[in-house]
Amino acid sequence: MVSQVVAKAMGKILGRLPVRLNVGVMIFLSCMTSYMLRVNFSIAILAMVVPSSPSLLNGTDITGVLTVKDYGPRYHWSSSQQGLLLGSYFWGYLISALPGTWLVEKYGGKILITTSFALSVVVTALAPLFASWGFYAMYISRFITGFLSGPHYAAFHNIISKWAPPEEKGKFMGSLMGGTFGTVITLPIVGLLIENVSWATGFYIPAVVTGIICLLWHLIVADKPNVHSFIKPEEKDYIEKALGTSVSKEKPKPPIRQILTSIPFIALVILHFSNLWGLFFLMTAAPKFMNVVLNFNLSQSGFLSALPYLARLTCGILFGYIGDFVRNRKWLSVTNIRKVFTIFSHILPGLFLALLCFITEPYACVAVITASLGFNGAVSITNLQNSHDLAPNFAGLLYGIMNFVGTTPGFISPIIVSYFTEDGNTMAEWSNVFIVGCVIYVLPALIYMMLGSGETQPWNEPLPEGEKNKDKQQNSSEKTA
């Protein structure tokens, strides 16, 4: 009863705007929140551990004696343990990604995001307590946070597939850049909070923001237009007509075998893995690289680590509009749009990572990293959209499978970074990391250019049971003949 009254009030406030705009904004804000919960630990951990080089996080007392700054309790976690903690989120994310996708298909994205955010508020707020209990408790805390986040993007894609008219698809995909915005604001804010208050605030503030967005999501978003509480009939009709028959009103049974053996989809999965490798590597390792190798302090590391994500956000929205513009004017086919723009989303970012091996000036390194991740914003019209091209009916499922595979860099890349930097944190050691990143960016892009597609696949609309039987009988007759 209370929620209905609040929904009516929200309708009066927001009803003057297109509801799909409200939904797009909420997807943006929810992606932002999801990434706040993901990246806050990357900067907080720098103040949670006893530094290996006290000169990196220090101050001096009145006698000039070197002292470690007091940001709160510090823990003796080794370099390998820190890598495991940074990867623990992604283990949880990986495990829940596929089951979460099934839940999204069955129950819809609204309830899943609401429940996930509500539980994440509790786990994130209690993270400092978990840390005080030791390494394993903190590992479990981050693992649970990742587990709760696993279905997020499948839910967002599921909702976009029901709300986005084809000519507005790029703009809706731009809303997924909210995750990048979350990184942009979280890294510097957490850095400032740590330096001025304590590292515990790096968990408390994201928990509060998550609670607010959870409530707004529940009040504003619906799984599809025809069940929304305050959408106008003309907008509902417009969306449904624009989507036409590409999205079934019924829930067809997912053709799992056809999906998993589809060459265009396999090429997309490889491309998505490549994208998330670069994204997660910079997310987990950039603050450490800037702090330990480039010798920036915590607040500087936070701000400078955020710059690449600001560039990615800007380019992601810009490329989303460019993709819609090119598609609506039919300058390139959908397939060619996806393939051509991988030059920007994958190949250029990889080449910029390789360029880091030849640069030693700190601010020049930051500029190159910013360019690398900035151009990667073009994923808004390459791998982020392609699941909707291949199968609008199963866009959430396809993205869930992609994310299941693509999440693995989240825990593999910190291990690789710790492996190459175990004996030191110089540019020589980090160059090996950058070369690996370059190869993983570029090679999958070349594979996708050969095997990818932007065409709707035949298995998007499975045959009704009666027609399946007829088809089987016809094939059997042809074989017999």
XYZ file of all heavy atoms in Angstrom, residues 33-34 36-37 116-121 124 204-215:
166
model
N 26.547 2.440 -8.915
C 26.564 1.852 -7.577
C 27.273 0.507 -7.573
O 28.058 0.194 -6.668
C 25.134 1.689 -7.057
O 24.481 2.959 -7.097
C 25.106 1.152 -5.644
N 26.991 -0.302 -8.588
C 27.613 -1.621 -8.685
C 29.133 -1.503 -8.709
O 29.849 -2.271 -8.057
C 27.114 -2.338 -9.943
O 27.653 -3.635 -10.039
N 30.894 1.133 -7.581
C 31.373 1.667 -6.304
C 31.704 0.523 -5.347
O 32.728 0.536 -4.659
C 30.310 2.568 -5.674
C 30.121 3.901 -6.356
S 28.967 4.981 -5.473
C 30.021 5.543 -4.140
N 30.810 -0.472 -5.324
C 31.034 -1.626 -4.450
C 32.205 -2.478 -4.923
O 32.805 -3.215 -4.145
C 29.771 -2.490 -4.417
C 28.501 -1.819 -3.877
C 27.312 -2.754 -4.031
C 28.669 -1.408 -2.426
N 19.676 -7.636 -4.377
C 21.133 -7.618 -4.348
C 21.658 -6.363 -3.658
O 22.545 -6.430 -2.798
C 21.679 -7.694 -5.777
O 23.052 -7.428 -5.812
N 21.106 -5.208 -4.018
C 21.571 -3.966 -3.413
C 21.267 -3.912 -1.917
O 22.084 -3.444 -1.122
C 20.936 -2.768 -4.121
C 21.633 -2.351 -5.390
C 22.757 -3.017 -5.839
C 21.168 -1.284 -6.138
C 23.396 -2.639 -7.008
C 21.801 -0.888 -7.305
C 22.921 -1.567 -7.752
N 20.091 -4.389 -1.538
C 19.724 -4.361 -0.120
C 20.706 -5.191 0.711
O 21.150 -4.760 1.793
C 18.300 -4.879 0.058
N 21.063 -6.376 0.227
C 22.014 -7.219 0.957
C 23.428 -6.643 0.911
O 24.184 -6.750 1.885
C 21.998 -8.632 0.364
C 20.690 -9.420 0.543
C 20.758 -10.738 -0.218
C 20.409 -9.667 2.023
N 23.774 -5.998 -0.209
C 25.113 -5.418 -0.346
C 25.342 -4.283 0.644
O 26.468 -4.056 1.083
C 25.327 -4.910 -1.778
O 25.335 -5.977 -2.693
N 24.269 -3.559 0.984
C 24.387 -2.485 1.975
C 24.927 -3.047 3.288
O 25.853 -2.492 3.902
C 23.022 -1.805 2.212
C 23.084 -0.876 3.417
C 22.593 -1.030 0.979
N 28.689 -4.522 2.886
C 29.689 -3.461 2.714
C 29.878 -2.670 4.004
O 31.009 -2.334 4.383
C 29.276 -2.527 1.566
O 29.105 -3.293 0.368
C 30.334 -1.461 1.316
N 31.754 2.693 4.301
C 30.497 3.225 4.821
C 29.765 4.085 3.780
O 28.545 3.953 3.614
C 30.739 4.064 6.080
C 31.289 3.279 7.247
C 32.167 3.862 8.160
C 30.936 1.935 7.449
C 32.678 3.147 9.241
C 31.455 1.211 8.520
C 32.322 1.829 9.405
O 32.832 1.119 10.469
N 30.490 4.958 3.078
C 29.848 5.851 2.114
C 29.239 5.070 0.939
O 28.082 5.299 0.566
C 30.832 6.928 1.620
C 31.299 7.799 2.794
C 30.187 7.794 0.538
C 30.173 8.481 3.555
N 29.962 4.130 0.309
C 29.324 3.316 -0.739
C 28.099 2.560 -0.233
O 27.135 2.366 -0.987
C 30.442 2.349 -1.158
C 31.698 3.101 -0.880
C 31.427 3.860 0.380
N 28.105 2.115 1.013
C 26.940 1.407 1.563
C 25.730 2.330 1.621
O 24.603 1.931 1.272
C 27.257 0.871 2.960
N 25.929 3.582 2.044
C 24.820 4.546 2.113
C 24.271 4.839 0.713
O 23.048 4.849 0.491
C 25.284 5.851 2.793
C 24.214 6.937 2.676
C 25.618 5.601 4.262
N 25.176 5.083 -0.249
C 24.751 5.364 -1.626
C 23.966 4.185 -2.197
O 22.933 4.353 -2.856
C 25.967 5.684 -2.518
C 25.554 5.811 -3.979
C 26.636 6.975 -2.049
N 24.438 2.980 -1.934
C 23.749 1.771 -2.423
C 22.333 1.695 -1.877
O 21.394 1.342 -2.605
C 24.533 0.508 -2.018
O 25.853 0.586 -2.541
C 23.857 -0.747 -2.558
N 22.139 2.022 -0.607
C 20.807 1.991 -0.017
C 19.860 2.974 -0.684
O 18.691 2.651 -0.953
N 20.340 4.172 -1.000
C 19.504 5.189 -1.655
C 19.105 4.740 -3.056
O 17.935 4.815 -3.452
C 20.249 6.533 -1.705
C 20.461 7.083 -0.289
C 19.485 7.548 -2.558
C 21.385 8.273 -0.224
N 20.084 4.245 -3.832
C 19.802 3.811 -5.208
C 18.883 2.599 -5.209
O 18.010 2.455 -6.080
C 21.117 3.497 -5.953
C 21.993 4.764 -6.045
C 20.829 2.954 -7.354
C 21.327 5.937 -6.729
N 19.034 1.720 -4.224
C 18.161 0.549 -4.108
C 16.699 0.973 -3.994
O 15.817 0.427 -4.664
C 18.582 -0.276 -2.889
S 17.524 -1.702 -2.549
N 16.437 1.964 -3.154
C 15.069 2.443 -2.963
C 14.520 3.078 -4.237
O 13.383 2.797 -4.652
C 15.043 3.455 -1.811
C 13.678 4.078 -1.489
C 12.668 3.005 -1.074
C 13.818 5.142 -0.394
